[in-house]
Amino acid sequence: MIRVFLIAASPLAHAALQNRFKGQGVKLVGSAAAVDVLSGDLSDTRADVLLVDAEGESPEALIELLTESGLAADIPIVVLVEAASPSAPAQALQGGIRAVLPREISTDQLAAALQAAAVGLVVLHSAEIPAAFPSGAPASQPLAELPEPLTRREREVLQMLAAGLANKEIAARLNISDHTAKFHVASILGKLGAASRTEAVALGIRRGLVLL
């Protein structure tokens, strides 16, 4: 379960996002109308991620405000924007913000992005990559192939783990028993060499097995 603190100026946007969280393994643990009205330490809320809806605001100005606030040093931040300048993704990354994503992103993608940010990963929407890396995407060392690849069903289960679903929820969605769901999770951890569900998701994202 990913615990999210939400900043949204619009009550409608707040309600819409809260509704999207249902059934996604995401729990809203607090909210505020703006960054500058936050009071107290966010650690009191036990939030894993700070989600900021930039509806009606300048994404660039909001990113600058978040950077100056120092919040990124305390909690992973994901920002939803309607439209941003080409420099916004790079500006956000330099400020420690984990993701700048379009507001129309799908619910599954949003849940996966929150999960990724919570485990310490940076998330880039495919449309933002050219702007974030104007000279081309950085080269990376290829990952060694898995000794035993994940099955189609295991990939489905891994995607649900990325969305924060528990074994019972996975079993219900796939119409399988809790025992079978637990077996699939154990198999995924073994094949990926992961010690936990969170690590399995992180490794799955690195290998392109989890869709964001």
Side-chain angles (χ1 to χ4, degrees), residues 43-126:
S43 65
D44 294 341
T45 68
R46 300 183 63 198
D48 299 308
V49 182
L50 176 63
L51 177 62
V52 184
D53 187 346
E55 181 185 21
E57 300 184 52
S58 162
E60 294 73 24
L62 179 58
I63 289 169
E64 183 176 355
L65 177 61
L66 287 167
T67 300
E68 293 175 349
S69 72
L71 284 169
D74 300 321
I75 186 170
I77 300 175
V78 174
V79 181
L80 298 178
V81 301
E82 291 181 341
S85 70
S87 63
Q91 177 190 358
L93 292 178
Q94 291 168 3
I97 295 169
R98 299 296 173 87
V100 176
L101 304 170
R103 294 185 75 245
E104 66 270 17
I105 190 171
S106 74
T107 298
D108 286 344
Q109 287 177 324
L110 177 56
L114 292 170
Q115 172 77 27
V119 299
L121 299 178
V122 170
V123 181
L124 280 177
H125 191 269
S126 57

Side-chain angles (χ1 to χ4, degrees), residues 129-155:
I129 291 176
F133 302 102
S135 60
S140 60
Q141 293 295 325
L143 293 169
E145 288 191 17
L146 293 173
E148 185 179 357
L150 269 62
T151 65
R152 181 186 61 81
R153 177 49 60 88
E154 287 168 348
R155 285 175 177 248

